[in-house]
Amino acid sequence: MRTSVALVALAASLITVGLGVPVAGASPAGDTSTVVVTPAALSTGWSLTNDPGSSGQFVSGPGSPPAGVGSFQLTIPSNGKATLLDNLVSGTALSEVDAVGYATYRDSSSTIAADVAPSLQLPICADGAVCSEFTTLVWEPIYAYGTAANGDNPVVANTWQTWDALGHTSTGYTGGWWSTHAIPGVCAFNCFVSLAEIQAANPNALIGSFGVNVGHGPTGTFNGAVDALTLGLSGHTTVYDLEPGPQTVAFTSTPPSPAYYGASYAVAATGSGSAPVGFAIDPASSAVCSISGATVRFTGVGVCTIDATQPGDATHAAGQAQQSVHVVAAPVSVSGSTISRFSSLFAQRVNVAVTVKSGATGSPAVGVLVTVTVRPAVSFLEGLAVSCTATTNSSGVATCSLHNSAQLLFGLLLSRSYQIGTQATTDFQSGSGTGGIS
């Protein structure tokens, strides 16, 4: 059943372009490449036209499409129409076409005549850039694959079917292509010829666009889909994999800056779909941070990359966003206290406990080297300063012993305090403090 289509004239663009535009992603002659087309393509060279009440949209499924996991769904009421076109091929010579086809799916809920499937559309200027002979070449399965054996109806409901629109013919038809206007080699509407015949009769013809359409009168509804649009140009064959666009995911929480080792962060994000957004740590950041639910803990120093993902649904693929947090060594707080002190004329010993904590979380700073120094209160006796070192344990405490030193004896006579210095580590900054000797 013929499904004629009214298309926006592309003559002006053809006259302006006049030169072929390479197909994105095409590979060397004789090869086939796949280009994924999503809703984003509608702003970069593709176009979609929906009549009121009609719907053409990129979706997941139905079933198992021949390319990827999605397709372009067409839901058309009586008197409706939807058209998807690739305009990037505008200006290409029709003579270059050496492969053309697609896959269709007709849902059993359709009430239009059983032989109706989406049609291929190839608007052309038959006489080249002058474009006084503009027409749309249309191909439908019924006019190339209809036979007596299938009751002149090759379309099967609820099944993906792949069609070769270039060379396949069947009894009673010679290629399945018809034209919306009479041009050399084909009359309007009622003549069915091969594309090769049209190419031979119109050697200067230029392509305006390439795509699919469903459009019909007040005779029922159509629900179905198309995928794997195929166009070959001079040995370069491109398969267009029609896929739903991803969910839009965005972080709504702002990470701490700076983010310190040992601290935590409550992450949040929203998505355009209804499913909840899930979080994970990018594998490259496993040594820097971890996550439980929506709480990120900074377990190392470096870049922590958080992945936020929302699952796909009927009309969108899964979406993801990333947030990077720069984690630096934590500052420390330092305090000291005297554990014990022994003093005699010839022997001195002071045992000091130094506690080092993360200035970001208050948790123990483990493995930090501590230096305790007693200095006389007057500068000219600086040479009498005495020190000891120790490393903090799992509780963040280092025990340091100053003992058996003449310098210590004079130091204690002149000063009742000591200074503490900590050495920086990968996870903690350096710090300092003081303590009093009791």
Side-chain angles (χ1 to χ4, degrees):
M1 178 177 179
R2 180 176 298 118
T3 54
S4 61
V5 54
L7 291 168
V8 177
L10 297 175
S13 65
L14 284 170
I15 293 171
T16 301
V17 176
L19 296 173
V21 178
V23 178
S27 50
D31 285 344
T32 297
S33 61
T34 298
V35 173
V36 176
V37 180
T38 68
L42 298 178
S43 61
T44 57
W46 287 68
S47 61
L48 168 61
T49 304
N50 289 324
D51 276 4
S54 300
S55 172
Q57 60 181 338
F58 297 85
V59 301
S60 297
S64 299
V69 298
S71 65
F72 184 72
Q73 183 185 65
L74 295 145
T75 305
I76 313 299
S78 296
N79 291 312
K81 182 179 67 178
T83 307
L84 177 68
L85 294 174
D86 171 14
N87 303 304
L88 296 173
V89 296
S90 178
T92 301
L94 181 65
S95 60
E96 293 185 36
V97 176
D98 53 19
V100 60
Y102 65 152
T104 65
Y105 183 96
R106 176 190 166 109
D107 192 272
S108 58
S109 63
S110 302
T111 61
I112 191 70
D115 59 14
V116 173
S119 63
L120 282 174
Q121 305 284 302
L122 197 57
I124 67 167
C125 280
D127 56 349
V130 176
C131 207
S132 61
E133 294 180 323
F134 175 79
T135 189
T136 296
L137 304 180
V138 183
W139 188 93
E140 299 175 78
I142 180 61
Y143 300 122
Y145 283 82
T147 65
N150 60 31
D152 206 30
N153 178 20
V155 179
V156 180
N158 301 327
T159 301
W160 277 104
Q161 296 178 275
T162 299
W163 311 104
D164 172 13
L166 187 68
H168 188 90
T169 61
S170 64
T171 303
Y173 301 103
T174 57
W177 287 92
W178 56 272
S179 176
T180 59
H181 295 85
I183 59 172
V186 58
C187 70
F189 294 102
N190 295 317
C191 301
F192 303 96
V193 300
S194 68
L195 188 62
E197 291 175 272
I198 299 174
Q199 289 171 313
N202 299 273
N204 298 317
L206 297 177
I207 298 171
S209 57
F210 168 68
V212 293
N213 169 82
V214 171
H216 55 77
T219 52
T221 62
F222 178 84
N223 184 24
V226 296
D227 194 23
L229 275 172
T230 301
L231 183 65
L233 300 172
S234 300
H236 302 251
T237 298
T238 303
V239 177
Y240 296 99
D241 175 12
L242 309 180
E243 296 291 335
Q247 305 279 20
T248 301
V249 179
F251 284 88
T252 57
S253 57
T254 301
S257 181
Y260 291 121
Y261 164 81
S264 59
Y265 161 50
V267 65
T270 59
S272 56
S274 58
V277 175
F279 300 100
I281 298 301
D282 194 80
S285 298
S286 59
V288 180
C289 50
S290 62
I291 193 167
S292 177
T295 301
V296 178
R297 181 173 174 78
F298 303 123
T299 57
V301 172
V303 178
C304 170
T305 301
I306 307 164
D307 297 331
T309 304
Q310 185 172 55
D313 55 25
T315 56
H316 291 84
Q320 186 184 78
Q322 288 188 325
Q323 186 179 72
S324 294
V325 185
H326 293 271
V327 185
V328 300
V332 293
S333 63
V334 182
S335 62
S337 61
T338 302
I339 301 174
S340 62
R341 177 186 175 189
F342 172 79
S343 179
S344 69
L345 181 61
F346 301 105
Q348 299 289 326
R349 178 181 290 108
V350 177
N351 295 323
V352 175
V354 176
T355 300
V356 184
K357 295 182 179 181
S358 166
T361 65
S363 57
V366 180
V368 175
L369 182 64
V370 173
T371 300
V372 177
T373 303
V374 174
R375 288 186 174 85
V378 289
S379 59
F380 69 89
L381 295 175
E382 178 67 23
L384 298 179
V386 62
S387 301
C388 64
T389 60
T391 302
T392 57
N393 58 22
S394 59
S395 299
V397 177
T399 301
C400 189
S401 181
L402 300 153
H403 59 89
N404 294 331
S405 168
Q407 289 96 327
L408 177 62
L409 172 62
F410 286 104
L412 292 177
L413 290 175
L414 299 172
S415 175
R416 310 294 295 177
S417 66
Y418 54 85
Q419 289 80 46
I420 306 168
T422 68
Q423 190 176 79
T425 69
T426 300
D427 299 326
F428 296 101
Q429 301 174 19
S430 62
S432 61
T434 59
I437 300 175
S438 57

